[in-house]
Amino acid sequence: MSYTEIKRLFRSPDEYIGKTITVPGWVRTVRDSKTFGFIELNDGTFFKNLQVVFEDGKLDNFKEITKLSVGSSIEVEGELVETPNAKQPFELKAKRILVESFCPADYQLQKKRHSFEFLRTISHLRPRTNTFSAVFRVRSLAAFAIHKFFNERGFVYVHTPLITGSDCEGAGQMFRVTTLDMKNPPRQKEGDIDYSKDFFEKETSLTVSGQLTGEAYALAFKNIYTFGPTFRAENSNTARHAAEFWMIEPEIAFADLKDDMILAEEMLKYVINYVLENAPEEMQFFNSFVDKGLLERLANVVNSDFAHITYTEAIEILEKNKDKFEYPVEWGVDLQTEHERYITEQVYKKPVFVTDYPKEIKAFYMRVNDDNKTVAAMDLLVPGVGEIIGGSQREERLDTLEKRMDEMGLNKEDYQWYIDLRKYGGTKHAGFGLGFERAIMYLTGITNIRDVIPFPRTTGSCEF
Amino acid sequence: MSYTEIKRLFRSPDEYIGKTITVPGWVRTVRDSKTFGFIELNDGTFFKNLQVVFEDGKLDNFKEITKLSVGSSIEVEGELVETPNAKQPFELKAKRILVESFCPADYQLQKKRHSFEFLRTISHLRPRTNTFSAVFRVRSLAAFAIHKFFNERGFVYVHTPLITGSDCEGAGQMFRVTTLDMKNPPRQKEGDIDYSKDFFEKETSLTVSGQLTGEAYALAFKNIYTFGPTFRAENSNTARHAAEFWMIEPEIAFADLKDDMILAEEMLKYVINYVLENAPEEMQFFNSFVDKGLLERLANVVNSDFAHITYTEAIEILEKNKDKFEYPVEWGVDLQTEHERYITEQVYKKPVFVTDYPKEIKAFYMRVNDDNKTVAAMDLLVPGVGEIIGGSQREERLDTLEKRMDEMGLNKEDYQWYIDLRKYGGTKHAGFGLGFERAIMYLTGITNIRDVIPFPRTTGSCEF
């Protein structure tokens, strides 16, 4: 059977007007009078529906079609005709409508507004709604934009491992991965678990970041990125935290913090532009129904040169306005979302890179600046969200890295292979991380992370 | 600093000949006589090295440069000049060489052959070798080719979940995911583990397939695919099994087994063509040093129309040649690799789809054929490997699906959401799975799965 997709009709109508085509899809609504009726048909390839018109006398099964229920799957053969005076540009005049399945009346997606909370309970059906079809098409396009961006620049895509034997990545609580019998695990004499009997013959967990292994590949390929799932076993039941989410982590060698920021700015603009160009209907929908200022905010990001400011300068600005904040501000503290948003929304009114944070509040692998007080780190703050990207130049000096690890009480033996990367062919390098779901929330205006993940995993919730 | 990448020099030499450029990279070899020397420089962007020539009197640090060791990182400024009578098309005449780091003499990647087994023990360094730089660049390009293929066809990329609460996917042994204290887990009165105290308040594992959740999305978007990690906790210490690997699982609605096979054939040819076009140096290398017949075999795949044969026909052929096989053949048994390879290599000499397998040896979700003995399944067999893709049309008939689940002793309550997909807007649909590592082995001629995964996870092994 040769089917035509609804997306093709909307993108290249001239190819199809006047022709007889067959379109399968799902019924979104049916309206009928005695002798004719209309079906809004959606086939999943396009945000908008195709209007099907059917008439008594022209169909064998006119009666059956008038009784079609929302959600039913059908196949329509007909002629595509222009409708110059109507809301929609064309309609399909049905010659034959084949019903593949009637949808029963207890179908939960009847034509009415449903709360996002309710729709989360039917995550297997919600991509059939306008909002979620838009969210998950944008998610797909944004993912492709990221791959395309890095591919065009010759970056090597690296699948860093998810199961890790190192519990020292330090970015958060981890999930244990095991095949041991939980009820009667093998034990050592002292009663401790005998992990030498586990699948990997050691304790293993789910990774919180691909950065460290990514660095090994950057020091072979120069420019690499990862794009894969990461995990946090943190008990934070907020709208911004999920236990399983996707991250993008580029890593560039022979490059410093400045190169890192240029890359982050180019990438973010590229992804926004790609989605605006390739999902105009969806983005218009978000702007109208989810977040009124969305398109203006994104246009502002794309068209502005991002600002640059040091952490020390940021603290000075914030201290002058300290009565505006709930959390206190002084040199040495980490910035809270309210501080970040103040700087990007009120002071600069555009995206801002904040650089050179106190070394005490940043990770051991970030390069120590000459002042020995700050590190070559950067956070990108964007209006409406706060931090969206965090990165740094990495400490490439073997002695400085080892000193930092000692200071922070890390066991260097666990990191021997990572130290090797400095010892053998080490070079300046830098990288950053972008939480993919945060980016999708930013692109769509959706405010709960559960609504941008197909089947979200959060504290106490792992359905489907 | 404005650097030039070695890939650019080889792809567009005319832009750079006669110009002064700066190229950073890692030293692969150094040769020198009293007054001049050569460095083979690799920057990770290209398979081949750039030849750097340096002369006494033209460099401040000639002595230092003659002592450069393999693996050191340097930055060379110089003029790119043509070398019409030499092996390489051009060389970089150094005006200045900055040493970023000297590599110590105990560096394990000295210029000599290393066994793949040894290189696995230094997975953090092996991408710097010719073989592994080729493998992992091809892996990256193949991944992009897959995204590009589906993007061009309007498929929605779905991130199906990795942590799952369902232990009934049925495709293999699973890893448990938990945050419980293994030593003193909370217990119910009878001594059983109290999983209501676990992170997700239930038992959870790592997924073995994204298919079932992928189907939910196909029944909203028509055409979708997944491309993400999957896991098997199987104790199989073979060259073809890993505990963590990546899978591609497209799912298409309003489509049957024939459409499914067309898609699989197009995808495989597309990926092979993309890699041949975009990594010619790497593919030539594999053909010369890893697998002599590789390019011929791949060309044969790209240029042939894949054959189609039913399982029943395959059994007839195999029974006539049963003395050739170790494993017995009769209608009802699953095909072994030796049988698959015989059919594709000896009988057809090209890729073959085998369809319509006995329902007893296939999964519950495959569509039962009218004979009520076979299901609409397909395996794609390719020369040199055997099965590389497995797929099926899915059972869309609610009553037949439920009957099959009863027959196989599955608990329908666990699958209620999956059954919903048939009840509400169900339609014919189909899909398949391609193990990404198997595909990379096929593309490169590499025979051990540990050598196509950056940091492999296998029974008893989870290093780095």
Side-chain angles (χ1 to χ4, degrees), chain A residues 37-249:
Chain A
F38 298 98
I39 298 167
E40 292 288 321
L41 189 70
N42 191 289
D43 74 350
T45 67
F46 197 61
F47 185 69
K48 292 186 179 171
N49 303 318
L50 171 65
Q51 175 156 300
V52 174
V53 54
F54 60 96
E55 276 181 67
D56 198 5
K58 304 231 165 126
L59 289 185
D60 297 346
N61 55 349
F62 179 81
K63 254 260 153 84
E64 182 192 35
I65 299 305
T66 60
K67 288 184 190 133
L68 268 181
S69 48
V70 174
S72 298
S73 56
I74 61 174
E75 194 180 298
V76 184
E77 188 186 334
E79 187 192 345
L80 193 71
V81 296
E82 282 185 292
T83 52
N85 300 317
K87 212 176 58 179
Q88 73 286 350
F90 44 70
E91 62 187 20
L92 189 63
K93 284 181 102 75
K95 294 176 183 169
R96 188 182 59 82
I97 299 182
L98 177 79
V99 179
E100 226 192 296
S101 76
F102 271 102
C103 191
D106 64 347
Y107 184 45
Q108 290 159 305
L109 292 178
Q110 297 301 323
K111 182 130 187 102
K112 63 163 191 164
R113 264 194 181 271
H114 301 282
S115 72
F116 285 2
E117 289 74 17
F118 167 72
L119 291 171
R120 272 174 225 147
T121 68
I122 49 168
S123 292
H124 60 309
L125 302 176
R126 68 177 178 168
R128 304 174 181 193
T129 65
N130 279 336
T131 304
F132 289 96
S133 83
V135 167
F136 292 113
R137 196 185 319 276
V138 164
R139 184 178 169 118
S140 169
L141 290 168
F144 187 70
I146 285 163
H147 285 299
K148 192 164 184 293
F149 173 84
F150 287 115
N151 176 271
E152 286 171 0
R153 282 152 188 78
F155 281 56
V156 169
Y157 176 32
V158 185
H159 289 139
T160 49
L162 301 199
I163 300 176
T164 174
S166 118
D167 62 351
C168 48
E169 291 170 348
Q173 294 279 104
M174 297 172 91
F175 288 102
R176 179 182 304 285
V177 173
T178 182
T179 54
L180 292 180
D181 177 0
M182 293 283 285
K183 214 171 149 183
N184 294 302
R187 290 182 193 266
Q188 297 173 309
K189 265 191 204 138
E190 313 74 36
D192 288 342
I193 304 295
D194 181 3
Y195 285 108
S196 74
K197 300 281 197 314
D198 207 345
F199 188 89
F200 295 109
E201 297 170 16
K202 57 155 68 171
E203 287 190 62
T204 53
S205 314
L206 289 176
T207 190
V208 295
S209 161
Q211 181 199 314
L212 303 195
T213 43
E215 283 183 53
Y217 270 60
L219 292 168
F221 286 111
K222 189 166 184 271
N223 294 328
I224 67 101
Y225 71 108
T226 74
F227 186 176
T230 42
F231 305 88
R232 293 280 189 290
E234 269 150 33
N235 230 312
S236 27
N237 214 340
T238 80
R240 287 167 60 83
H241 290 88
E244 177 181 324
F245 57 97
W246 286 61
M247 280 244 283
I248 297 107
E249 297 182 285

Side-chain angles (χ1 to χ4, degrees), chain B residues 391-409:
Chain B
S392 68
Q393 187 168 338
R394 318 307 188 187
E395 185 56 77
E396 86 282 13
R397 295 161 298 187
L398 182 58
D399 50 345
T400 316
L401 181 69
E402 291 189 322
K403 202 171 133 230
R404 279 281 281 159
M405 293 174 75
D406 289 339
E407 274 172 23
M408 296 178 80

Side-chain angles (χ1 to χ4, degrees), chain B residues 401-444:
Chain B
L401 181 69
E402 291 189 322
K403 202 171 133 230
R404 279 281 281 159
M405 293 174 75
D406 289 339
E407 274 172 23
M408 296 178 80
L410 298 173
N411 181 0
K412 280 184 300 209
E413 268 174 42
D414 293 341
Y415 292 90
Q416 196 48 57
W417 68 267
Y418 185 71
I419 292 170
D420 273 2
L421 302 178
R422 278 68 184 166
K423 198 170 164 193
Y424 304 114
T427 171
K428 65 182 170 185
H429 63 291
F432 65 81
L434 168 69
F436 186 55
E437 281 75 11
R438 295 269 172 97
I440 301 304
M441 291 163 76
Y442 190 60
L443 281 165
T444 58

Side-chain angles (χ1 to χ4, degrees), chain B residues 19 51 72 94 145 167 188 195 231 248 267 284 293 329 331 339 354 359 365 393 414 416 421 451:
Chain B
K19 298 214 172 114
Q51 176 156 299
S72 298
D167 62 350
Q188 297 173 309
Y195 286 107
F231 305 86
I248 296 106
M267 183 193 74
Q284 195 58 63
V329 189
W331 202 97
H339 306 137
V354 179
K359 67 177 181 179
Y365 50 72
Q393 187 168 338
D414 293 341
Q416 196 48 57
L421 302 178
D451 297 327

Side-chain angles (χ1 to χ4, degrees), chain B residues 250-252 255-267 308 353 376-378 389-394 429-433:
Chain B
E251 191 76 30
I252 49 179
D256 60 17
L257 191 67
K258 209 174 274 177
D259 300 310
D260 204 33
M261 290 189 282
I262 292 170
L263 183 69
E265 181 168 343
E266 284 181 359
M267 183 193 74
H308 292 259
F353 284 108
M378 62 93 162
I389 282 175
S392 68
Q393 187 168 338
R394 318 307 188 187
H429 63 291
F432 65 81

Side-chain angles (χ1 to χ4, degrees), chain A residues 243-416:
Chain A
E244 177 181 324
F245 57 97
W246 286 61
M247 280 244 283
I248 297 107
E249 297 182 285
E251 192 75 30
I252 49 179
F254 300 107
D256 59 17
L257 191 67
K258 209 173 275 177
D259 301 310
D260 204 32
M261 291 190 281
I262 291 170
L263 183 70
E265 181 168 343
E266 283 180 358
M267 183 194 75
L268 197 62
K269 288 176 174 176
Y270 186 99
V271 173
I272 294 172
N273 276 327
Y274 185 89
V275 169
L276 289 172
E277 274 168 34
N278 288 277
E281 291 80 8
E282 283 82 355
M283 295 306 288
Q284 195 57 64
F285 172 84
F286 292 128
N287 195 58
S288 302
F289 296 106
V290 175
D291 180 352
K292 299 277 181 214
L294 180 70
L295 291 179
E296 197 190 346
R297 201 167 62 235
L298 294 177
N300 178 36
V301 172
V302 168
N303 297 320
S304 61
D305 290 324
F306 295 5
H308 292 260
I309 178 180
T310 66
Y311 167 87
T312 303
E313 290 164 346
I315 291 293
E316 281 166 16
I317 293 170
L318 294 168
E319 279 183 327
K320 282 188 202 134
N321 297 279
K322 62 172 77 174
D323 50 324
K324 294 200 176 76
F325 307 120
E326 187 184 343
Y327 290 91
V329 189
E330 60 172 333
W331 202 96
V333 303
D334 212 352
L335 300 185
Q336 300 294 324
T337 302
E338 59 170 349
H339 306 139
E340 295 172 342
R341 292 187 62 167
Y342 180 79
I343 288 172
T344 179
E345 291 169 15
Q346 305 300 320
V347 183
Y348 285 92
K349 300 183 177 28
K350 65 178 181 178
V352 183
F353 284 107
V354 180
T355 60
D356 305 297
Y357 284 79
K359 68 177 180 178
E360 281 73 19
I361 58 171
K362 290 288 184 183
F364 75 94
Y365 50 72
M366 298 189 179
R367 193 178 196 278
V368 178
N369 287 326
D370 291 345
D371 62 13
N372 201 27
K373 279 165 54 189
T374 59
V375 289
M378 62 94 163
D379 280 358
L380 175 61
L381 316 181
V382 291
V385 168
E387 187 211 323
I388 193 166
I389 282 175
S392 68
Q393 187 169 338
R394 318 308 188 187
E395 185 56 76
E396 86 280 14
R397 294 162 297 188
L398 181 59
D399 50 345
T400 315
L401 180 70
E402 291 191 322
K403 204 172 130 227
R404 279 281 281 159
M405 293 174 76
D406 288 339
E407 273 172 24
M408 296 177 81
L410 298 173
N411 181 1
K412 281 186 299 215
E413 268 174 43
D414 293 342
Y415 292 91
Q416 196 50 57

